[in-house]
Amino acid sequence: MKKSWQIWRDRRGRLSPLRLAVLALLLLPLAKASFDAGAIAHGARPLNDLIHRAGFWALVFLGVTLAVTPLRRILRIGNLIDVRRMLGVGAFCYIAAHLTLFFADQGYSFEKTFHEITHRWYLIIGGTAWLGLAALAATSTDGMVKRLGGLRWRRLHQLIYAIALLALIHYFQQTKADVTVPTFVAGLFLWLFSYRLVAWWKENSELSTLTLLALSVAVSVLTFIGEAIGIGISFHVSPLRVLDAAFDFDAGIRPGWEVLGAGLVVVIIDFVRARWPIRTQRVRPVPAE
Ligand code: HEM
């Protein structure tokens, strides 16, 4: 049996290259922050810079956790499921750092931190998402799965979708000017939500290449529409003018195209893997997050 802290070993105690790769991925933002240490320290607000980095990576790893189920189907790599918990707990570690840094930014004052979190809308929403993630992290052990029972555990962990939505709202609310990156991230999350919705509706989590193509096009169109409405409302311009600008590539590539590009990459991988499967392990149905 592996010792519980040796997260690079699989359940049988063998060294797992997949787990090692995920561990390296989870540590990458820390390595990047250490590399940028000089620039961060000499920046205008070092703590705020770190708060942004931790929040951004927490959201990214939350997305990667949600992507495990579709990816194991599309890549036909069944044992990807082995690292889902590791990724989820990794996301929580970044979110714990995000709040700790915020606490430091408030001069380590519990009173000030509490006051801020309960008086600003974007922090109320972020705080709610934080509590949700903490509940999921606390119930992610084998012991808790047993205590809660499979069905109750699965129902509780389906909260991950609502938590991700709150985290995205928090991300948009704190973004002051350019919403290009948040819109792209939201588009990717929309793809993941839609995948699960279609899989649930079809009662089959293995979607055909054609369904994946239709899903990617639909999500890309929704990203364009969402962005146009958002910019239209914020800057009092016609959403149709914003949509028109999506085809002006001199002004930059809009997030809707990037979401379409990411979706098409998935479609191509699925197409190739469906024809040349290398099944490392039988892909068994897994409980939803
Ligand atoms: C009590 C909980 C939370 C607090 C106090 C908090 C606080 C903050 C603060 C102060 C900022 C920077 C705002 C600014 O500079 O004006 C921020 C940004 C951000 N937060 Fe949070 N947050 C919380 C929860 C969360 C959660 C649960 C997530 C996601 C899982 C999250 C993701 C982000 C992201 C993505 C950013 C923007 C990063 C970027 O600019 O790239 N936060 N948060």
Side-chain angles (χ1 to χ4, degrees):
M1 262 319 251
K2 88 179 154 74
K3 292 210 173 69
S4 56
W5 51 269
Q6 289 183 344
I7 52 174
W8 50 87
R9 294 189 182 278
D10 64 17
R11 282 176 183 273
R12 292 188 189 160
R14 292 172 308 191
L15 196 72
S16 159
L18 180 63
R19 283 172 160 260
L20 269 177
V22 169
L23 190 60
L25 180 75
L26 287 170
L27 293 175
L28 210 64
L30 277 184
K32 171 88 171 69
S34 313
F35 187 74
D36 296 343
I40 296 172
H42 292 105
R45 294 178 65 194
L47 267 177
N48 193 259
D49 185 336
L50 291 174
I51 290 173
H52 277 263
R53 284 169 189 252
F56 180 74
W57 287 107
L59 192 61
V60 168
F61 290 129
L62 193 62
V64 179
T65 311
L66 287 178
V68 168
T69 300
L71 270 184
R72 73 192 284 268
R73 299 275 162 199
I74 289 156
L75 293 168
R76 275 80 175 167
I77 300 178
N79 53 1
L80 267 190
I81 200 70
D82 188 39
V83 290
R84 190 171 64 180
R85 176 166 29 184
M86 214 172 143
L87 283 161
V89 174
F92 180 70
C93 289
Y94 277 96
I95 216 54
H98 188 59
L99 181 55
T100 310
L101 289 161
F102 179 74
F103 176 56
D105 204 31
Q106 301 304 309
Y108 297 100
S109 159
F110 283 108
E111 203 184 325
K112 223 173 143 203
T113 305
F114 183 77
H115 184 269
E116 285 292 303
I117 295 178
T118 49
H119 282 80
R120 289 176 190 262
W121 267 112
Y122 87 98
L123 293 181
I124 293 174
I125 291 173
T128 312
W130 199 100
L131 287 176
L133 275 175
L136 299 195
T139 53
S140 67
T141 59
D142 287 343
M144 282 310 280
V145 180
K146 248 190 220 155
R147 265 172 73 177
L148 286 172
L151 189 66
R152 269 168 67 199
W153 186 89
R154 272 205 301 280
R155 287 221 175 112
L156 177 70
H157 278 248
Q158 270 164 0
L159 274 180
I160 190 94
Y161 296 101
I163 292 170
L165 189 63
L166 290 178
L168 283 171
I169 296 173
H170 169 76
Y171 186 20
F172 270 98
Q173 283 179 313
Q174 69 78 49
T175 304
K176 271 104 196 166
D178 189 359
V179 288
T180 307
V181 181
T183 307
F184 172 59
V185 174
L188 294 183
F189 271 88
L190 185 62
W191 192 98
L192 292 168
F193 295 160
S194 310
Y195 180 101
R196 296 308 288 255
L197 202 67
V198 175
W200 168 78
W201 179 57
K202 288 190 154 224
E203 293 179 7
N204 179 4
S205 55
E206 208 152 344
L207 304 187
S208 69
T209 309
L210 209 62
T211 309
L212 286 174
L213 178 64
L215 187 140
S216 300
V217 172
V219 168
S220 155
V221 169
L222 286 175
T223 309
F224 277 120
I225 295 175
E227 187 195 30
I229 293 175
I231 294 181
I233 292 172
S234 307
F235 297 98
H236 307 288
V237 290
S238 158
L240 289 176
R241 269 187 61 197
V242 184
L243 276 178
D244 211 27
F247 295 93
D248 176 6
F249 295 104
D250 291 338
I253 296 177
R254 301 314 307 158
W257 294 118
E258 293 171 342
V259 170
L260 181 63
L264 291 182
V265 169
V266 170
V267 170
I268 292 168
I269 293 173
D270 185 71
F271 182 81
V272 172
R273 294 300 264 144
R275 269 133 203 94
W276 294 281
I278 311 166
R279 288 189 186 257
T280 53
Q281 193 181 308
R282 229 177 88 75
V283 178
R284 273 177 277 115
V286 284
E289 294 91 310

